Amino acid sequence: MENKTSSKPHVVLLASIGMGHLIPILELGKRLSTHHNFNVTIFVVASQSSAAESQILHSAMTENLCEIVELPPDNISGLVSPDAAVGTQICVIMRAIKPALRSGISGLSFRPAALIVDLFGSEAMMVADEFEMPKYVYIPSNAWFLALTIYIPILDKVVQGEYVDQKEPLKIPGCKAVRPEDVVDPMVDRADQHYLEYVRMSMDIPKCDGILLNIWEDLQPKTLEALRDEELLGHLYLLLWRTKSRLGSANLKSSSTGFCRKENCNNGS
């Protein structure tokens, strides 16, 4: 990677394998390019067997708004059981592609202003640290899901037995409680690797410099307040993002490129 500057900030996005992860990252990249005049490179861990995914990638490349680089998925047959949950397999794949991502970033013409990953790509944030650039996590879901996810390490310590067997709702500070029957899939079986990976991802998120959240301020104000409150869920730096429109109330800000290190960021409220 050449240590050059560009007239436009250059950001790198990493899309985890699977259509449900690819499409939100592509949409985010388009918005950064068209609404914020960023140069965008999207690294995609593409499935070699999905015709629909190939069509979406071809369409995105034709639009020519972002540079798209495909990273071939590693053979993980010796790393995980073929019967493992899909979420577990994605985590293992994303862990295995870190060397390819590192090589891809090194080959870029300009030093990126930031790396943006999705939830399953959270381990790749250590690659951003190697290049001394800010790292962000994009959550194309809602604030309540984020609150539950980052609170999992606490629940993991205080809840005895399976979550689905609890008699009372699981309390999240400042947020709506979750009923045992409504827990997300990784929480169903605490002995499964899927759950262990979910706990690991939840511990990775607070290490980032900011979170891009697909929501607007008035939709879940109490949950957003809890996420920003150090006494509740940790004083997170939030950037509210709506992929179907322009940015919400919290714009990309706090540096000349729009991205910053956590210690230099003002809270995105």
Side-chain angles (χ1 to χ4, degrees), residues 74-81 88 92-93 95-96 193:
D74 280 32
N75 183 349
I76 62 167
S77 59
L79 301 175
V80 65
S81 167
T88 299
V92 174
I93 289 172
R95 187 174 297 129
Q193 186 179 347

Side-chain angles (χ1 to χ4, degrees), residues 9 11 32 35-36 38 113-114 116 134-136 209-212 217 228 235-241 247-269:
V11 296
L32 289 172
H35 293 330
H36 296 275
F38 283 15
I116 303 175
K135 50 193 182 294
Y136 285 71
D209 292 295
I211 299 170
L212 281 75
E217 194 72 42
R228 292 171 174 141
H235 193 59
L236 299 176
Y237 178 61
L238 302 178
L239 295 165
L240 306 190
W241 182 277
L247 279 171
S249 60
N251 264 318
L252 298 180
K253 57 187 180 181
S254 301
S255 77
S256 60
T257 63
F259 294 95
C260 59
R261 290 284 189 177
K262 184 186 297 184
E263 59 269 20
N264 299 322
C265 290
N266 296 316
N267 193 21
S269 56

